[in-house]
């Protein structure tokens, strides 16, 4: 049997869900780090975590509400829920904890988190479509 006849093993749904969850976490941390770098310097690690935690909690709520682990790379079922959960949950948590919530920031977060959290799922869906 030649190596050309071997098909790569499909990753398990658990592995895909874990990878998607880690990707969401990392991308939200990137969003927070870029925002902090643009506006504040100093206290890098704890500052990024302070900025990111409401969005991470909102994303977790989106994962739970959509049961995203069932189809973690789905744009509609998971991507939109994680995006809107991170945005709405993040802004609500920021508001109740006395952090800044102003319209320009909401717009930037809406666009940035959308591009990041839905964007990579769109890219994966496009690659999958091309392969079939």
């Amino acid at each position: 049997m030649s190596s050309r006849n071997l098909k790569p093993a499909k990753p398990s749904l658990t592995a895909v869900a874990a990878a998607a969850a880690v990707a969401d976490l990392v991308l939200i941390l990137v969003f927070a780090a870029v925002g902090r770098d643009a506006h504040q310097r100093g206290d890098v690690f704890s500052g990024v975590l302070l900025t990111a935690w409401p969005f991470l909690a909102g994303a977790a709520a989106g994962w739970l509400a959509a049961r995203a682990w069932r189809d973690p790379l789905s744009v509609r079922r998971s991507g939109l829920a994680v995006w809107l959960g991170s945005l709405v949950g993040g802004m609500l948590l920021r508001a109740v904890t006395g952090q800044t919530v102003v319209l320009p920031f909401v717009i930037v977060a809406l666009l940035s988190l959308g591009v990041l959290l839905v964007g990579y799922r769109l890219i994966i869906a496009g690659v999958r479509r091309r392969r079939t």
Side-chain angles (χ1 to χ4, degrees):
M1 181 185 266
S2 75
S3 63
R4 279 188 264 168
N5 295 337
L6 296 176
K7 290 184 179 180
K10 277 184 110 175
S12 71
L13 184 58
T14 303
V16 172
V22 168
D24 290 339
L25 178 128
V26 167
L27 291 169
I28 291 170
L29 289 173
V30 166
F31 162 75
V34 169
R36 286 200 56 92
D37 185 57
H39 298 289
Q40 298 173 328
R41 301 226 184 239
D43 225 8
V44 175
F45 185 73
S46 62
V48 169
L49 293 179
L50 179 66
T51 301
W53 81 262
F55 300 103
L56 292 168
W63 266 81
L64 291 172
R67 297 179 184 174
W69 57 88
R70 292 181 172 182
D71 193 3
L73 298 176
S74 167
V75 173
R76 281 184 278 160
R77 283 183 291 261
S78 300
L80 294 177
V82 174
W83 170 36
L84 296 176
S86 67
L87 178 75
V88 174
M91 291 302 168
L92 288 174
L93 287 169
R94 284 180 66 87
V96 299
T97 59
Q99 296 183 53
T100 305
V101 178
V102 293
L103 184 58
F105 178 57
V106 173
I107 293 168
V108 167
L110 173 81
L111 298 173
S112 301
L113 290 169
V115 166
L116 293 170
L117 299 174
V118 178
Y120 84 89
R121 288 175 169 93
L122 282 170
I123 291 168
I124 291 170
V127 168
R128 283 180 171 174
R129 250 183 257 124
R130 270 192 83 129
R131 286 186 179 171
T132 59

